[in-house]
Amino acid sequence: MKKFLKLLIVLRNSFAISCVMKKDIHPNYHTIKVEMTDGTQFETKSTWGKEGEVLKLEIDPKSHAAWTGGKQKLMDKGRISKFNKKFQNFKSSSNN
């Protein structure tokens, strides 16, 4: 039983040594404010900017179509337009 306890202590000590972070290689992690497109703000931690700066977003989940489910703008030469043009005269057998 004593061998088992010694093994746990060694594993625990070596794990603690491996978790020590090196000094002066990590970026400064501080609090900033993020301003959404509608003007609302929230605080978060980041490596961006300096302590207390405001990060103004141009696109956020409240305004971008990927999150709101709005229609996406399709180009005339997009894949859907090419497909429709290629098969515009195609008739299915169920329509006859």
Side-chain angles (χ1 to χ4, degrees):
M1 186 69 178
K2 286 197 173 217
K3 286 184 180 180
F4 184 68
L5 290 174
K6 286 181 181 178
L7 181 61
L8 286 177
I9 291 169
V10 169
L11 288 176
R12 188 172 180 188
N13 287 342
S14 65
F15 179 75
I17 292 169
S18 66
C19 288
V20 174
M21 293 177 21
K22 294 181 181 179
K23 293 181 180 181
D24 301 327
I25 65 165
H26 300 284
N28 184 9
Y29 191 64
H30 50 271
T31 304
I32 64 165
K33 289 184 180 179
V34 178
E35 184 175 321
M36 307 290 268
T37 55
D38 64 353
T40 59
Q41 291 185 349
F42 64 92
E43 281 191 1
T44 188
K45 295 257 186 177
S46 176
T47 58
W48 178 86
K50 296 178 183 172
E51 179 80 27
E53 280 193 78
V54 178
L55 173 64
K56 294 184 180 184
L57 300 179
E58 295 176 6
I59 299 173
D60 65 11
K62 294 179 181 179
S63 64
H64 195 273
W67 288 284
T68 61
K71 292 184 179 180
Q72 295 179 358
K73 184 178 178 181
L74 295 176
M75 296 174 20
D76 290 334
K77 295 184 179 182
R79 291 182 180 182
I80 295 173
S81 297
K82 287 181 182 179
F83 177 85
N84 289 336
K85 185 177 179 182
K86 183 175 182 179
F87 294 104
Q88 66 186 359
N89 295 327
F90 179 75
K91 293 182 181 178
S92 67
S93 59
S94 63
N95 290 343
N96 292 335

